[in-house]
Every structure is written in structure tokens, then in C-alpha cells.
Amino acid sequence: MSGWEAVMSHNISWDNEDQTVVLQQYTDDASKDDLYYLAEKSARMLATVEHRVHLIIDERKVNLLLNSADVHYLEKQTPTNQGAVVVVAQRLKQKYKTAAQEMNRKFAPNAFGEPYFAETLEEARLFLQENFEVRYPPQTSEA
């Protein structure tokens, strides 16, 4: 299985030293398999800590349309200590993503809470710092 994961089109990591933010990034040629792997990996990471953990999901390189099975799966994978989710997307896609999140929230209230959007990783990090008291080292820059 590890050989197959190597060809997956995503990255996931802690985004700060306090382990209060997980960064999920889709890379080129991402598919729904990446969505499922990211949900599973994120849930495992959040299970290693007891405090609330926020997510930054960089969707600038992906266009996924979720069906009801996807939404249900994401709801089942959402840990109780998951905090705010900031989606990084182009401004033109944010209106559509907001509408999709509002619709999905009816069926998956934990996975699709209040939608927050940013256009860059820096903007997402700043939003979490200003609104959720997340700490980053001063030199953190966009990857």
C-alpha cells in the first residue's frame, strides 16, 4: 500500500509547532482518492492530540464534486477535536464552494461547519492567528 500512496496527489502535515493546525494540500492530478486519504490521515493526526486542531485545506489545484456518499464519509471521519476549517481557493471558486458547503452542512454538520475561505496560505494562517489564537513562528512563509 505504501507504494500506491507515493503516487497520491496530496500532502498533509502539521502546520505549526504547537500542533494546532493541519495543512492539507492537493497537488497536480488530485482525485477523490486523495480526498479520502486526506480525511483518514487528518483524523489519525488529530487523534494524537487532545486539544482543538484547525485545518487549512489548499484546494487551488483541485476541482472535486462531492456526492452524498463522499459527504457521509467525511462526516464519519471528522474528529471531535476538529476546529475551524479554512479552504484556500481562488476567489472565483469561493462563491460556489460556499453554496456547496451550505448544502452539505445539512447532511454533515461536523464536516461542513462554518465555511472560511482564503486566497493564499498566508491569508489562511493570518485568519487563524487573528480569530483562533493560533501561533506561528514569525518567519512562516507560503510554501
Side-chain angles (χ1 to χ4, degrees):
M1 176 133 159
S2 62
W4 190 54
E5 280 191 67
V7 298
M8 300 306 294
S9 298
H10 64 263
N11 297 310
I12 185 168
S13 62
W14 291 108
D15 199 44
N16 63 353
E17 292 177 11
D18 294 342
Q19 295 187 335
T20 58
V21 180
V22 167
L23 174 61
Q24 299 178 14
Q25 291 179 294
Y26 291 96
T27 57
D28 294 326
D29 301 320
S31 70
K32 273 209 185 155
D33 287 339
D34 294 288
L35 170 80
Y36 281 69
Y37 276 109
L38 281 172
E40 293 168 5
K41 290 177 183 178
S42 183
R44 286 195 302 269
M45 289 174 73
L46 271 65
T48 66
V49 297
E50 294 182 12
H51 56 265
R52 183 156 308 280
V53 178
H54 308 290
L55 304 181
I56 297 175
I57 304 175
D58 187 348
E59 295 186 351
R60 291 177 289 185
K61 293 186 176 184
V62 68
N63 281 315
L64 296 177
L65 297 175
L66 304 183
N67 61 36
S68 60
D70 301 329
V71 171
H72 180 69
Y73 182 81
L74 292 174
E75 180 70 4
K76 284 178 46 179
Q77 290 295 316
T78 304
T80 57
N81 63 330
Q82 181 174 300
V85 177
V86 182
V87 176
V88 179
Q90 294 88 349
R91 184 176 302 277
L92 293 173
K93 293 182 180 178
Q94 290 179 11
K95 190 171 188 174
Y96 161 77
K97 289 185 177 291
T98 298
Q101 286 212 354
E102 288 175 9
M103 182 182 69
N104 291 332
R105 187 178 319 135
K106 297 173 187 171
F107 308 103
N110 297 312
F112 294 91
E114 182 69 30
Y116 300 109
F117 293 99
E119 291 188 68
T120 65
L121 291 178
E122 285 300 323
E123 189 180 312
R125 290 174 177 139
L126 184 60
F127 175 82
L128 290 174
Q129 288 175 303
E130 292 176 347
N131 294 280
F132 295 97
E133 300 178 8
V134 168
R135 297 183 323 158
Y136 280 101
Q139 69 274 19
T140 298
S141 63
E142 179 147 356

